[in-house]
Amino acid sequence: MSSNTVGILLLIGGFLVLMAIRVPIAFALGISSLVTAWYIGIPSLFVAQRMVNGLFSFTFLAVPFFILAGQIMSEGGISERLVRFADVLVGRFRGGLAQVNIVASTFFGGISGSSVADVASIGSFLIPAMAKRGYKPEYAVAVTVTSSVQGVLIPPSQNMIYYALAAGGLPIGQLFLAGYIPGLLLGLALMLLAVVLAWRQKHPAGVRYGWRDGLRTALDASIGLFTMVIIVGGIVGGIFTATESAAVALVYAVFVTVFVYRTMNKAAVLRVLRESLGTLAMVIAIIMTSSAFGFLLSYLKVPSLLAEAIFMVSREPWIVLLAINALLIILGMLMDMGVLILILTPILLPIVKSVGVDPIHFGIILLVNLGIGLCTPPVGTSLIVGCSIANTSIERTTRTLLPFYAAMIGVLMLITYVPALSLALPSFFR
């Protein structure tokens, strides 16, 4: 057995073993990288340098700003306002509360950029509200967790920034624009499914609002939704870089929640900042160790070996993409989304580029695949959070999720084989 083969086994096998015995992800990446580097003769100091270099990106500074802005807007009551606005728009129809859930996730995804934050924030009061209106708790969880995937597609998405960094510095503005149509398409597919299920299962209709109440609610919600204009409009218009827009969005979030909505004070803002430190530390540690892990994957020629294995089956682009989609869905069920983006992008991006797939287009394919993984057992983070809110089992909820999985995979196939859905907006604004 060659030293390269042993190195690959040590790197990937060691990481999987450490994950299996519940070693934290950052430590699993770091330990397996150090052991592999020692075996193949790479100095440990060089591995440490690769870890530090993983943070040497001005774009990376956008991540903590986006995380803080999303948490402040969530804590500051923006999610309740978005739900009321969504209720005004679609709540009157049969099964309206499910439609409200999906539309609210569309709006909230444009502020938080996180599927799990969406489920924790909107789901904390919409899941119990749906149960009180006569919806099954499993159905309420299914609607909430699948619609929350829009949060990883509609800007600002932290996972898009991870992909841009792992891909060698793709333009964030183009990635943000590429996510809009796929994100809205996913929301539309889920809404159509909810309509069908509402008539089949005779879900209740919602409340009809007067135009004055509706206008007041829309104006109240628009203050928070202006965050999306700041982020995307600033980047596309050339006013801000991604990092600058994230910083401005954070300042705006603090201003709105403290001085406009008056739902937070200085002590609450400081508490959110303290609570965010743990998340930020975890993100930094994972990015550092995954940088070393990714370097060793390239050094051991794992991308070329995987490409050879795929090309042995076929070099047809549609078959290559189908094989990669299958691989991503399986891995998304087993591992965290952010880590997979950082590990898999350096491996898979050269393969898809060799068959003519645009890196921006592939980024959206990657995000949709791994977003489905957030809703699937055994490691689906959003699914676990949703089931804990509803106090229901993952097994019962998974059975209810089957038609939702079919809708999401249908959208994935459309996005995969119709590149214009992802590339139309970036091309237009370019």
Side-chain angles (χ1 to χ4, degrees), residues 136-168:
K136 292 181 179 179
E138 296 81 16
Y139 179 78
V141 174
V143 172
T144 304
V145 300
T146 52
S147 62
S148 73
V149 175
Q150 294 175 95
V152 304
L153 294 170
I154 297 176
S157 169
Q158 294 122 39
N159 291 292
M160 283 186 178
I161 299 176
Y162 299 155
Y163 173 73
L165 293 173

Side-chain angles (χ1 to χ4, degrees), residues 56-94:
F56 280 0
S57 170
F58 183 68
T59 303
F60 170 72
L61 290 175
V63 174
F65 287 134
F66 279 137
I67 291 174
L68 286 171
Q71 289 188 342
I72 287 174
M73 296 297 277
S74 177
E75 293 276 341
I78 182 61
S79 52
E80 291 91 337
R81 289 171 170 81
L82 295 178
V83 168
R84 286 201 296 270
F85 182 39
D87 199 15
V88 169
L89 295 176
V90 295
R92 71 192 70 172
F93 306 111
R94 179 179 290 277

Side-chain angles (χ1 to χ4, degrees), residues 119-281:
V119 175
S121 179
I122 290 177
S124 62
F125 55 92
L126 262 184
I127 290 175
M130 290 180 70
K132 287 180 182 178
R133 294 271 190 96
Y135 297 85
K136 292 181 179 179
E138 296 81 16
Y139 179 78
V141 174
V143 172
T144 304
V145 300
T146 52
S147 62
S148 73
V149 175
Q150 294 175 95
V152 304
L153 294 170
I154 297 176
S157 169
Q158 294 122 39
N159 291 292
M160 283 186 178
I161 299 176
Y162 299 155
Y163 173 73
L165 293 173
L170 290 176
I172 298 295
Q174 290 188 34
L175 267 175
F176 279 0
L177 288 170
Y180 271 112
I181 293 177
L184 295 175
L185 181 62
L186 175 61
L188 179 61
L190 295 175
M191 290 181 73
L192 291 175
L193 175 62
V195 168
V196 173
L197 294 176
W199 285 99
R200 288 181 59 184
Q201 301 175 9
K202 302 195 181 303
H203 294 156
V207 179
R208 185 181 295 272
Y209 288 82
W211 69 270
R212 289 184 179 177
D213 289 337
L215 182 60
R216 190 181 304 113
T217 301
L219 291 174
D220 194 32
S222 65
I223 298 172
L225 288 173
F226 189 70
T227 310
M228 298 169 61
V229 178
I230 292 174
I231 294 169
V232 180
I235 295 173
V236 174
I239 302 170
F240 307 126
T241 64
T243 303
E244 290 165 349
S245 72
V248 173
L250 174 59
V251 173
Y252 179 78
V254 173
F255 175 79
V256 167
T257 53
V258 175
F259 298 106
V260 180
Y261 290 155
R262 298 182 183 276
T263 50
M264 297 186 75
N265 53 25
K266 180 180 177 181
V269 172
L270 291 175
R271 176 178 55 80
V272 171
L273 292 175
R274 284 196 302 270
E275 292 174 354
S276 300
L277 288 177
T279 303
L280 297 177

